[in-house]
Amino acid sequence: MSNLESVIDGKTEAATLALIVLVAEGHLLVEDVPGVGKTTLAKALATSVGCSVARIQFTPDLLPSDVTGVSIYNQVDHAFEFKRGAVFANIVIADEINRASPKTQSALLECMEEGQVSLDGTTHPLDRPFIVVATQNPIEMEGTYALPEAQRDRFMARISMGYPDAAAELSMLHQRELASPLDKLTAVVDKQQLHAMIETARSVYVSRAVESYVVSIVQATRVHPEFRLGASPRGTLHLVRAAKVLAALNGREFVVPDDVNELVVPVLAHRIVATRRAASDSRGGGSQAIADALRAIVASTPVPLNRSRSV
């Protein structure tokens, strides 16, 4: 966290969510207007971990083979040889992912869900951990393609950087006048330590009552009148996995409802599609309508209470 915050000024919430997704071994989608530090956050997260890192700049002419790899005929051996693409890394930075065509975007579907690449009848497994940190510009901007629902659903969480406040922006002017903070950033966790962190977070206890609480929230999104498409079962799994990490970050070996409540919007909102009426009635558009409705669902869902006697 200290490493990330040394680069990203005044964005503690975004840095925390990025760390949660990393330890939960999920994928992170960072969405906002250009120039607010989306790529900087992705690079800082990747640099902080001593794993292999690859960066892909998504453009309209990028091909699926540029992402996954391609089979090239070797004239010496008279056989096809597989040349690995940029996706064969522990942390893949997919910069401006929604500037590429849907065909190229789909090259990441199998990688993100199954941790492998299938090409010419051969399956090539990806090394663990495998994490995609993608940035995207708002769909209203020129030269963007909307991410399909199947692609968005594979991201554990979506965060928005937002503009810095005046104090943070002033501090940024002084700190970055001569050099970028990324130049001084070094890895603070190696690959083995990250594996240990992932396994520790997975061992965090989740009671049946909290599991039922998560399921009630997710199922409520599927019948909500303002939602045309509710959260998927994958969203349920991701919400529990993220809550485990948040509990571990807070020094607990068990998940409480507050862990779930804090993560409902960043984990579920990007999976949901609002009705046209709800999107048009909201000042912030569809995303704001979805966030408001999710908070209302959380507020109306009964919270499981510890009914054991206090000592």
Side-chain angles (χ1 to χ4, degrees), residues 68-69 82 88 107 110-111 114-125:
T68 58
F82 178 64
F88 284 87
E110 181 185 13
C111 306
E114 302 175 43
Q116 64 184 29
V117 172
S118 297
L119 188 67
D120 297 333
T122 304
T123 299
H124 306 273

Side-chain angles (χ1 to χ4, degrees), residues 218-245:
V218 174
Q219 289 194 337
T221 67
R222 300 169 188 165
V223 296
H224 198 281
E226 295 184 7
F227 295 162
R228 183 164 55 88
L229 178 67
S232 66
R234 186 189 285 119
T236 309
L237 295 172
H238 283 181
L239 184 55
V240 172
R241 283 169 54 188
K244 285 183 174 184
V245 178

